[in-house]
Amino acid sequence: FVESPKNFPILGNDSRDFFAMATHNVHSCEFEVFGRVQGVNFRRHALRKAKTLGLRGWCMNSSRGTVKGYIEGRPAEMDVMKEWLRTTGSPLSSIEKVEFSSQRERDRYGYANFHIKPDPHENRPVHEGLGSSSSHHDSN
């Protein structure tokens, strides 16, 4: 008696089996990159690298002149991204050092993809007419 392969379910009868497989062995950590990393397309290159590796999370410019971020994914791909952050970056960047938080194991992804967060010090709304004598407007 030989059963045909179509009788053997690959993922079981429950779609949650696929989700469990997809989130198995997810790790995460935060990072901060120091050096000449703002104004040199560092975040855009980090986004491309993270997406190529299938990592999720975010990065952003900080008010301290660094690039901060959070990555989550499989440990092997995270190791590749960490090395890229330490040694490669964007073509015009100059990396002095990178600090990583402890890598933690997670039971599921926290983000659907990797994205760039807006700068905290750019595009702030201008509140006019509030009577503040210290506010000013740049006219470029």
Side-chain angles (χ1 to χ4, degrees), residues 40-117:
V40 292
N41 292 314
F42 190 94
R43 294 172 301 159
R44 186 176 303 152
H45 285 269
L47 172 73
R48 278 192 209 132
K49 186 65 175 178
K51 286 189 173 193
T52 299
L53 293 170
L55 297 174
R56 302 178 187 191
W58 55 268
C59 67
M60 66 183 282
N61 284 340
S62 77
S63 57
R64 298 178 356 154
T66 63
V67 170
K68 291 180 153 189
Y70 170 86
I71 50 175
E72 58 184 23
R74 296 186 312 188
E77 285 77 9
M78 289 195 51
D79 288 344
V80 172
M81 185 69 182
K82 286 178 175 183
E83 185 64 17
W84 184 90
L85 290 166
R86 278 188 206 101
T87 62
T88 306
S90 66
L92 297 177
S93 66
S94 177
I95 301 163
E96 291 175 13
K97 69 174 182 172
V98 184
E99 294 178 354
F100 295 99
S101 68
S102 298
Q103 192 162 306
R104 295 188 169 95
E105 190 166 358
R106 302 177 51 88
D107 58 353
R108 66 177 58 93
Y109 283 103
Y111 291 88
N113 58 25
F114 192 91
H115 64 279
I116 298 172
K117 286 187 175 185

